[in-house]
Amino acid sequence: MTENTFASSSKFMDLLLDAICVVDKEGRFVYVSAACERIFGYTPEEMVGRPMIELVFPEDRECTLQTAAQVISGEPQPHFENRYVRKDGQVVNIMWSARWSETDQVRIAVARDITRSKQAEQMQAALYAISEAVHEVDDLGTLFQRIHRIIGALLPTTHFYIALYDEASGEVSFPYHVDKSDPLPAPQQIDSDTLCNRVIRGGQTLLLTPEDEAESAEASVACALCGHYLKSSLGVPLQSRNGTIGALIVQSCAEHGRYTEKDRELLQFVSRQVADAIERKQMMARLQHIALHDQLTGLPNRALFHDRMQLALAKARRHQGQLALFYLDLDKFKAINDTFGHMTGDLLLEKVARRLELCIRECDTLARLGGDEFVVLLESIEQPEQATLVAEKIRQVFARPFDLAGRQVHILPSIGIALFPLHGNDEEQLLRHADDAMYSAKKS
């Protein structure tokens, strides 16, 4: 079948709001109605003879080819949806109704632009998904991954990152960053001239293309995923009740089309929910940290130590391993408190905590039980002598005086050690043995 076959009826087809497309078995347009220019941005002359798949949004090409094969095999597709990239770079959602004409060896399809209704539907789904993610995930990193997937269903996110702003330090950090062509940015000051900093400082959405002079350097970077150059960038501020807490940045490469004003509106709308979700998760993390850590030293408290002790004991029993428990307090701490005051005593406890942290491995636990009492849990030790070496290291770091607001103070620890399984099989037995050993050390 040729274009001439449709000449007599084309004037009526051209009046339709929906587009009529005819594609041959090789996948090339042989006829399109006038409505195609309104939907796809190309004139009929530009589309005829061109492979249909070239206009399809890259991520939808595989399913489009599969559906085309089903149509050719005789299975009509009355409600197939995919995305196309318009001539101006915008991405549009299309609903197709297609069937195969065996006589003419062509696919005949009707295309309807459903972009607006699809965006409204997707925005509602995105809001629900973000709210659901806040309640389901335990940490910010996982939440950011979920947000990336959710927004990726709405618009191209070849490059995606979240920046968070700390007003107290004036620093912008990047807890989530997906960009294979650009390494993770180091934290930067808010006054540096980057896209995310401009968004945060101004509190306004920025939609930039390579034609924008201020963005030309960033936009000329090649995408590591497909080799095409970045075509546009879209940055929205993350604004909560407490002000701007950061920015969300998406960038699209040329193959995926450029962002539009509709994308700006959509991302602005979703960003409010994202900001609330991040702030809520940060608040929950702070509350959890407060519940499980000593407020003065920042060390794990008794509750968190108990949890880690139980896990360590279970692991040691399972693998027939050993662990060591230190019970430690500061000799004559009360005298320092009484002589110099509680503020000086608190400062000493903070400095003691920092020195003790230098003596243990990352996998070990240092906790403050209260007052001047600390415990150290050494996991997975191979020989009891390892515990003795750590105790000696602790004594060595206490040999240096502590500088307390200009006062040089000497203080020594008394340390009691309990070994599992030598001195007990559970937490209570080990703590009691270590406590007794500590008092014996203090007396001697």
Side-chain angles (χ1 to χ4, degrees):
M1 179 177 286
T2 66
E3 187 178 354
N4 293 331
T5 309
F6 299 97
S8 59
S9 57
S10 64
K11 62 181 180 179
F12 299 109
M13 293 183 184
D14 289 344
L15 296 176
L16 296 174
L17 295 176
D18 294 340
I20 309 296
C21 299
V22 179
V23 180
D24 63 20
K25 199 167 187 177
E26 284 69 43
R28 296 180 180 275
F29 292 108
V30 296
Y31 170 81
V32 296
S33 65
C36 280
E37 186 171 2
R38 178 181 58 81
I39 295 175
F40 302 108
Y42 296 94
T43 64
E45 292 75 19
E46 290 174 315
M47 292 183 68
V48 170
R50 185 170 182 176
M52 167 273 299
I53 201 66
E54 287 184 356
L55 304 186
V56 177
F57 187 72
E59 292 177 8
D60 291 355
R61 288 177 183 174
E62 184 177 349
C63 67
T64 299
L65 291 174
Q66 291 174 355
T67 303
Q70 292 175 346
V71 173
I72 292 174
S73 67
E75 300 179 34
Q77 298 292 325
H79 303 295
F80 173 66
E81 295 181 21
N82 65 359
R83 290 169 292 180
Y84 272 65
V85 180
R86 285 173 48 89
K87 185 177 181 179
D88 60 8
Q90 296 185 39
V91 178
V92 290
N93 294 82
I94 306 296
M95 168 77 79
W96 293 95
S97 176
R99 63 178 296 274
W100 175 252
S101 171
E102 185 64 33
T103 303
D104 301 307
Q105 292 289 291
V106 293
R107 296 199 311 272
I108 303 170
V110 178
R112 172 168 294 179
D113 185 350
I114 59 168
T115 303
R116 286 193 176 184
S117 61
K118 194 69 177 177
Q119 284 182 337
E121 174 188 314
Q122 289 173 329
M123 282 201 306
Q124 291 303 315
L127 297 184
Y128 176 79
I130 292 171
S131 175
E132 192 176 52
V134 173
H135 293 92
E136 288 182 352
V137 304
D138 295 326
D139 60 281
L140 274 174
T142 307
L143 177 64
F144 293 150
Q145 291 176 355
R146 289 278 289 272
I147 289 172
H148 187 182
R149 288 201 299 270
I150 293 165
I151 293 177
L154 302 176
L155 44 82
T157 55
T158 314
H159 308 269
F160 181 100
Y161 58 97
I162 291 174
L164 293 182
Y165 172 50
D166 182 357
E167 187 174 4
S169 65
E171 190 173 80
V172 177
S173 59
F174 301 86
Y176 188 79
H177 180 270
V178 176
D179 188 342
K180 291 188 177 181
S181 64
D182 188 23
L184 176 66
Q188 54 193 232
Q189 289 300 306
I190 187 64
D191 55 2
S192 59
D193 190 29
T194 63
L195 173 59
C196 71
N197 288 354
R198 296 202 298 273
V199 170
I200 295 170
R201 287 198 305 266
Q204 300 292 325
T205 300
L206 288 179
L207 173 58
L208 302 169
T209 67
E211 290 79 20
D212 295 311
E213 183 179 352
E215 185 62 7
S216 59
E218 272 185 79
S220 63
V221 177
C223 171
L225 299 176
C226 63
H228 290 78
Y229 285 98
L230 295 181
K231 195 161 190 175
S232 60
S233 301
L234 179 57
V236 297
L238 295 174
Q239 294 176 322
S240 71
R241 300 174 186 86
N242 299 318
T244 302
I245 64 170
L248 191 156
I249 309 294
V250 293
Q251 293 177 311
S252 172
C253 65
E255 190 182 19
H256 288 71
R258 68 174 64 195
Y259 300 116
T260 66
E261 286 297 324
K262 290 180 181 177
D263 294 328
R264 179 207 291 259
E265 294 172 7
L266 186 152
L267 200 58
Q268 272 183 307
F269 182 72
V270 173
S271 70
R272 298 187 188 100
Q273 312 304 317
V274 172
D276 286 343
I278 292 173
E279 198 165 54
R280 195 175 306 124
K281 189 60 70 177
Q282 287 176 325
M283 181 184 68
M284 291 167 62
R286 284 195 295 270
L287 291 174
Q288 186 177 37
H289 187 274
I290 290 170
L292 296 175
H293 289 80
D294 173 52
Q295 295 306 292
L296 177 63
T297 63
L299 296 177
N301 61 13
R302 188 182 294 270
L304 182 53
F305 170 76
H306 171 74
D307 288 346
R308 292 187 180 177
M309 185 71 182
Q310 294 305 311
L311 290 173
L313 283 170
K315 181 180 176 182
R317 294 187 189 106
R318 187 165 59 249
H319 298 290
Q320 296 183 337
Q322 300 181 75
L323 59 81
L325 177 66
F326 291 12
Y327 207 113
L328 179 153
D329 81 352
L330 306 178
D331 296 343
K332 302 179 181 178
F333 175 74
K334 185 177 184 301
I336 294 174
N337 241 355
D338 293 342
T339 302
F340 301 117
H342 290 285
M343 289 185 64
T344 300
D346 287 348
L347 179 59
L348 175 59
L349 291 172
E350 290 182 67
K351 289 181 176 290
V352 164
R354 302 293 80 83
R355 284 199 192 178
L356 288 172
E357 286 174 329
L358 299 174
C359 300
I360 62 173
R361 302 166 299 180
E362 191 173 339
C363 63
D364 299 324
T365 296
L366 167 65
R368 182 188 177 209
L369 299 187
D372 62 329
E373 295 182 333
F374 297 83
V375 286
V376 176
L377 172 62
L378 303 179
E379 295 194 46
S380 304
I381 62 171
E382 296 179 4
Q383 301 293 333
E385 290 75 14
Q386 287 179 252
T388 306
L389 291 174
V390 174
E392 184 57 34
K393 188 176 182 180
I394 291 174
R395 292 190 183 96
Q396 288 175 3
V397 301
F398 274 78
R400 291 182 288 109
F402 290 87
D403 184 359
L404 304 179
R407 296 186 181 96
Q408 298 293 307
V409 174
H410 287 269
I411 194 164
L412 295 175
S414 291
I415 304 172
I417 302 175
L419 300 171
F420 171 86
L422 180 62
H423 298 133
N425 293 312
D426 59 32
E427 179 182 352
E428 184 179 353
Q429 291 175 349
L430 293 170
L431 277 171
R432 187 184 308 117
H433 183 92
D435 189 27
D436 291 342
M438 185 265 292
Y439 276 107
S440 296
K442 187 179 289 290
K443 289 176 182 177
S444 64

